[in-house]
Amino acid sequence: MTETNVLPWIEVNEMMDEEYRQQVVADALGYYPKASPELNKFALAVFKNTIHVNGFRSFQSIPLHMVKMQVVKEFKVNTLLAEAVICLWAEKQHEIIETLANAAREANIPVPAKWGWEEGRYGFVQSEDPQEIEKLASALSAEKTKPEADHYILAGLWIKPQSFVEKTQE
């Protein structure tokens, strides 16, 4: 049996290149005003407590390009901020995540009907052997160009804990 580890979202930095990290942060920052109310509240609190730029009184008054630079830097070192960014990204990229989830269901890979930011916020599963969901995400991403291909890989990490939740309930 292989060992399974649940890692906090900050660990996903090891799997991202700088360009994709900036894309994920840009997606999250662009989406947070439209996020579901509870996710918006959570993310805004994290951003307000974490992102400070001299000359600006509040997070919301900082120009977006300056915020993005700070969030990218903090994403690498701040566990709670990484969690907020990935949750925002996941809610924004729900169509890619749903495409992967549907493909998983068609392949008889267990995926719960609901897996939102509240469930996925605590991290991703990493195991010694690639799981079915990772293989499926890689196959789907092979047909895509960057950054969409990378979105499928990250979506696989987002969905993967669901498979373990399902298996433990069987």
Side-chain angles (χ1 to χ4, degrees), residues 50-110:
T50 308
I51 305 303
H52 306 282
V53 175
N54 289 337
F56 298 93
R57 291 180 183 248
S58 71
F59 163 77
Q60 291 147 311
S61 65
I62 305 169
L64 186 59
H65 72 280
M66 293 176 79
V67 167
K68 182 180 171 189
M69 291 185 321
Q70 292 295 318
V71 173
V72 167
K73 188 166 42 170
E74 287 294 318
F75 185 74
K76 297 175 192 177
V77 297
N78 186 306
T79 302
L80 199 56
L81 183 125
E83 185 180 307
V85 166
I86 293 295
C87 289
L88 288 164
W89 171 89
E91 197 171 279
K92 180 183 191 298
Q93 298 296 341
H94 66 91
E95 290 176 359
I96 287 175
I97 292 168
E98 194 57 35
T99 297
L100 181 57
N102 288 336
R105 289 181 192 103
E106 289 174 17
N108 293 318
I109 300 170

Side-chain angles (χ1 to χ4, degrees), residues 29-63:
L29 289 173
Y31 183 74
Y32 100 86
K34 301 172 218 134
S36 59
E38 288 301 311
L39 177 53
N40 180 289
K41 181 179 176 182
F42 165 68
L44 189 56
V46 170
F47 292 149
K48 283 180 174 180
N49 288 328
T50 308
I51 305 303
H52 306 282
V53 175
N54 289 337
F56 298 93
R57 291 180 183 248
S58 71
F59 163 77
Q60 291 147 311
S61 65
I62 305 169

